[in-house]
Amino acid sequence: MKEKILVTATEMFLNLGFKSVTMDDLASEMGISKKTIYAHYENKTQLVEESTMRLFWIISNGIDQISALKKNPIEELYDIKKFVMLHLKDEKSSPQYQLQKYYPKIFNTLKQKQFEVMQVCVVDNVRRGIEQGIYRENLNVDFVSRIYFSGVTSIKDYRLFPVQMFPMTVLQDIFLEYHLRGIVTPKGRKVLNSIINSNQE
């Protein structure tokens, strides 16, 4: 039952937002009493924390599996973006912004963990891209990986990027193309253009 509550809560948080979902909503959605939820979770904060960490590990493991395939580094970034967006339900409810506003402690812990995972993944991606001649060889790898992380997290601030102007799926594509065009070689540009063209078909 504990796992079931966690799965349903995660789903609801992603679709409706961390703030909007109450314990009553969750109980009603599952057809159980609030007492049953409290038997497993002390309060909503604990539920939010466990649900964000569960999602974080699912996404991290998925990213590891994609990275292990050692695909073309440009293709790899598109595959990771697709996988993450699928698990975050296209971020319709701006979960990161709500987490930051209402659960700052959980948000900061999560951000640190995300940075550690992405740092390893992006540094490896950039190094392989340089070796394969699709990323410029004069890149500062640590700078590129950090600026990428900074961009990925900043575009989720809907005060800067209002959803009406920038739906999250479109925004992710714009950002990834922007990032890659700054680091690719002419050889890499051909790969990037062919991926963009095939995504538009």
Side-chain angles (χ1 to χ4, degrees), residues 19 46-47 59 91 95 104 115 123 141 151 158 169:
K19 175 83 171 106
Q46 188 194 354
L47 193 52
I59 290 172
E91 306 196 62
F115 174 72
V123 164
V141 178
Y158 71 75
T169 41

Side-chain angles (χ1 to χ4, degrees), residues 121-135:
C121 164
V122 180
V123 164
D124 175 65
N125 180 281
V126 176
R127 285 193 177 134
R128 281 189 298 113
I130 293 170
E131 281 163 20
Q132 291 173 29
I134 57 174
Y135 294 163

Side-chain angles (χ1 to χ4, degrees), residues 73-89:
I74 296 174
E75 207 182 322
E76 178 181 275
L77 287 182
Y78 274 93
D79 286 352
I80 288 172
K81 180 208 62 137
K82 219 177 283 175
F83 174 80
V84 172
M85 290 304 283
L86 182 74
H87 280 82
L88 293 181
K89 313 280 180 206

Side-chain angles (χ1 to χ4, degrees), residues 34-51:
K34 253 196 329 186
K35 201 174 162 189
T36 307
I37 298 173
Y38 285 119
H40 298 283
Y41 297 96
E42 209 176 300
N43 50 39
K44 185 179 165 185
T45 304
Q46 188 194 354
L47 193 52
V48 167
E49 185 170 14
E50 289 200 26
S51 109

